[in-house]
């Protein structure tokens, strides 16, 4: 039966189905996730949470970030169709749940989990506070400044340039392909979450982005943790420059409002959007709150 005919014949009874049945029926037609190959062996996976990247090497599969348990199961099933190799390494760009709570789906099937040492500390702190330690698969390997390892023809390097979105964010560089996963160090035209409780610092974040722009080159392709509606989760140096300038605009705006004697509440009610037209979306209160705290609290 053709899909359209099937839908037409089914539409009258669709309302009578349970939610589980509807989900099952929908799943026959549209996968809730999307896989985009960037090269022959490196791709990205998007469903719910921070963008995932993966490498299908002859030595084994490497995955960067894991979204949530259900999403990482989808990813694992799809990658098993693409490769018969084992899962060698799971990397977390940082500890946030939309990047690491899917780790648990890799339990028993991945050789190692790797993150910056502060990312591991942050993940543990949050899990202990939320009493969710049984739902975690923690990194068994950590690093401090730089970490590199070869996987077939690809060489993967992690770089830590200091506190930004948290105090434990890595850039993950696939050197041969010249692709860098930025995790949440870059929100492409989307107001970022600034996790001050986990050591985030907006001023330093700008320097972290400058270090990345110096380290990588004009041909580097970047993968972003998140993007605003209508924008891509991949891009070039231009997006890093734009995001750094946006962080600067938010800080500068908050500073001038503080100097003008405005209260925090007045600042958050502003209709002026620092960063310009491209940032006219919901959520400016998050970075403005962080900027206010960074500039006024010691
Ligand atoms: Zn995220
Ligand atoms: Zn994050």
């Amino acid at each position: 039966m053709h899909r359209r005919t099937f839908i037409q014949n089914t539409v009258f009874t669709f309302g009578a189905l349970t939610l589980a049945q509807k989900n099952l029926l929908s799943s026959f037609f549209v996968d809730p996730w999307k896989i985009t190959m960037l090269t022959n062996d490196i791709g990205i996976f998007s469903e719910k949470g921070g963008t995932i990247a993966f490498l299908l090497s002859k030595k084994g599969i490497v995955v960067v970030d894991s979204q949530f348990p259900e999403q990482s199961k989808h990813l694992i099933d799809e990658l098993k169709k693409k490769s018969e190799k084992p899962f060698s390494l799971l990397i977390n760009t940082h500890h946030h749940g939309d990047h690491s709570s899917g780790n648990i789906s890799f339990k028993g099937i991945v050789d190692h989990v790797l993150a910056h040492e502060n990312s591991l500390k942050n993940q543990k702190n949050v899990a202990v506070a939320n009493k969710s330690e049984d739902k975690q698969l923690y990194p068994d390997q950590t690093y401090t400044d730089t970490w590199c390892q070869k996987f077939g023809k690809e060489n993967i390097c992690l770089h830590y340039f200091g506190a930004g979105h948290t105090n434990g964010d890595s850039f993950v560089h696939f050197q041969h392909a010249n692709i860098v996963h930025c995790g949440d160090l870059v929100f492409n035209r989307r107001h970022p979450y600034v996790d001050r409780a986990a050591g985030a610092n907006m001023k330093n974040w700008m320097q972290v982005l400058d270090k990345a722009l110096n380290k990588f080159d004009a041909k580097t392709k970047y993968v972003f943790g998140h993007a605003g509606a209508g924008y891509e989760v991949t891009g070039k140096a231009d997006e890093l420059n734009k995001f750094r300038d946006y962080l600067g605009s938010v800080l500068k705006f908050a500073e001038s409002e503080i100097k003008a004697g405005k209260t925090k509440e007045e600042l958050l009610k502003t209709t002026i959007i620092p960063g310009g037209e491209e940032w006219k979306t919901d959520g400016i209160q998050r970075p403005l709150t962080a900027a206010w705290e960074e500039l006024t609290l010691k």
Side-chain angles (χ1 to χ4, degrees), residues 8-259:
Q8 279 167 353
N9 289 347
T10 312
V11 74
F12 302 104
T13 51
F14 193 72
L17 299 174
T18 66
L19 189 61
Q21 285 168 326
K22 280 179 193 171
N23 282 340
L24 186 67
L25 196 60
S26 305
S27 71
F28 283 119
F29 299 127
V30 197
D31 288 334
W33 62 87
K34 189 178 159 196
I35 287 179
T36 308
M37 294 308 293
L38 305 179
T39 68
N40 282 337
D41 51 10
I42 295 175
I44 55 171
F45 172 98
S46 304
E47 186 180 342
K48 188 177 116 191
T51 313
I52 291 173
F54 58 83
L55 164 70
L56 308 168
S57 86
K58 288 202 170 77
K59 239 181 89 180
I61 304 172
V62 180
V63 175
V64 184
D65 284 348
S66 61
Q67 297 191 350
F68 300 94
E70 195 188 328
Q71 281 63 43
S72 49
K73 272 185 205 134
H74 295 159
L75 170 77
I76 289 166
D77 288 346
E78 289 303 309
L79 295 185
K80 278 181 177 169
K81 290 180 203 164
K82 291 179 180 288
S83 169
E84 288 171 353
K85 304 289 177 197
F87 288 91
S88 301
L89 182 65
L90 170 62
I91 297 165
N92 290 142
T93 57
H94 66 298
H95 75 290
H96 284 152
D98 59 322
H99 300 255
S100 74
S101 56
N103 286 12
I104 195 75
S105 301
F106 288 86
K107 195 174 180 178
I109 62 166
V110 74
D111 293 343
H112 294 288
V113 184
L114 169 71
H116 186 265
E117 61 178 4
N118 291 342
S119 177
L120 172 60
K121 281 181 201 158
N122 293 333
Q123 192 180 343
K124 278 189 175 162
N125 287 343
V126 173
V128 168
N130 292 341
K131 297 192 170 65
S132 65
E133 279 208 283
D134 58 326
K135 295 189 179 73
Q136 310 295 319
L137 177 65
Y138 290 127
D140 63 322
Q141 294 184 338
T142 59
Y143 79 104
T144 50
D145 299 319
T146 313
W147 178 101
C148 292
Q149 194 170 305
K150 267 192 96 62
F151 291 88
K153 70 174 177 9
E154 191 53 81
N155 194 35
I156 299 180
C157 287
L158 273 67
H159 298 280
Y160 178 70
F161 295 141
H165 168 69
T166 70
N167 62 5
D169 303 87
S170 300
F171 285 100
V172 182
H173 190 195
F174 297 89
Q175 284 188 327
H176 181 79
N178 199 5
I179 292 170
V180 173
H181 195 317
C182 305
D184 281 359
L185 285 168
V186 179
F187 284 67
N188 188 19
R189 274 79 157 201
R190 180 165 158 177
H191 297 297
Y193 174 42
V194 185
D195 192 350
R196 286 177 44 82
N201 185 290
M202 288 174 74
K203 258 187 200 152
N204 206 60
W205 194 342
M206 295 171 70
Q207 288 175 29
V208 165
L209 292 167
D210 275 331
K211 285 178 192 167
L213 286 160
N214 278 328
K215 179 80 190 168
F216 312 121
D217 59 45
K219 288 192 178 142
T220 306
K221 183 162 198 170
Y222 295 92
V223 176
F224 313 127
H226 306 275
Y231 289 99
E232 301 288 327
V233 290
T234 57
K236 304 298 280 282
D238 195 38
E239 275 70 41
L240 272 71
N241 276 307
K242 282 209 163 109
F243 186 60
R244 180 207 50 213
D245 292 348
Y246 152 86
L247 290 174
S249 302
V250 174
L251 279 167
K252 209 172 141 195
F253 176 69
E255 196 169 17
S256 69
E257 293 292 274
I258 291 164
K259 274 192 187 142

